[in-house]
Amino acid sequence: MSSPDARLPARDLARIAAFAALIAALGLPGALTFGGSVPITAQTLGVMLAGAVLGARRGALAVLLFLVLVAVGLPLLAGGRGGLGVFAGPSAGYLVGWVAGAYVTGWLVERGLPGLSTARALLATLVGGVAVVYLIGVPVQAWRTDVPLPTTAVAAAAFLPGDLVKAFIAAFVAKAVHAAYPVLGEERAAKARAA
C-alpha cells in the first residue's frame, strides 16, 4: 500500500500532463540536423522548464509521461518520430538523460526556494538540463554510432550554444513563475515544518 505522500493530487497530475504536452509542442517546429545522428530540437527547453517549474519529482514525471507516449508510438519527438525504435537509436541516451536532467534541475531549484534567484535557476538549468543530459547522452551516442567517445563529445559541442540559450530562457521563466506563483517554495517550507 502506498503512503499518502506517494499519491499525486489532481492538480499535480494536470501540471505533469501540461508539461508533457509542452515538451511535445516544442517538437512541432521540427529538428535541425547538421550531418549528425542526433537532431537539435527545442524540446530540451521543455525538459528544463519541467524541472525548474514543477520541481524534481513532478518534472521528471512529466518527462517520463512524454517518453511513455513516444514509446507507445505517438510521433511526438521533433520530426514526427515515435515508437520503441527511437530508444535504440543514437539519441536514446539523451532521451533517458531528459528524465534525470529534469529531476536534477528541479532538485537544485527546490533548494533555492522560496526566493529563487536567477543565478540559482541558471545553475540548475545548466547542471541538470545541459550537463546531466550530456553525461548520459554522449556516451550512449558514441556506443550506438560506434564512434569514439572523444570524437562524439567534440561533435556534441555543436549543441552547446543552443542549449545555453535554452538554459537562460528556462532560468528566467522559472524565476518569474516562482515569484508570481510560489507553490513549490510553500510546499518545501511546509515539509520542513512537518519534519
Side-chain angles (χ1 to χ4, degrees), residues 14-176:
R15 290 175 187 151
I16 289 166
F19 273 84
L22 172 67
I23 297 167
L26 287 170
L28 291 176
L32 297 174
T33 306
F34 297 108
S37 55
V38 176
I40 298 171
T41 77
Q43 289 180 302
T44 49
L45 173 61
V47 170
M48 292 178 201
L49 285 170
V53 172
L54 296 179
R57 181 177 177 213
R58 289 175 285 215
L61 286 172
V63 176
L64 193 57
L65 172 60
F66 171 79
L67 293 177
V68 166
L69 294 173
V70 167
V72 298
L74 296 177
L76 300 177
L77 289 172
R81 297 174 303 129
L84 287 175
V86 298
F87 295 98
S91 60
Y94 294 99
L95 298 176
V96 172
W98 283 1
V99 178
Y103 186 89
V104 170
T105 299
W107 187 86
L108 289 169
V109 164
E110 288 172 4
R111 266 106 205 108
L113 295 173
L116 180 68
S117 69
T118 304
R120 178 66 176 226
L122 181 58
L123 174 69
T125 57
L126 288 172
V127 171
V130 180
V132 168
V133 173
Y134 280 49
L135 283 172
I136 298 170
V138 172
V140 172
Q141 181 183 357
W143 169 57
R144 296 305 299 155
T145 59
D146 202 25
V147 174
L149 183 59
T151 304
T152 304
V154 169
F159 294 97
L160 273 175
D163 285 338
L164 293 175
V165 169
K166 291 178 234 176
F168 274 93
I169 292 169
F172 284 101
V173 169
K175 165 88 168 97

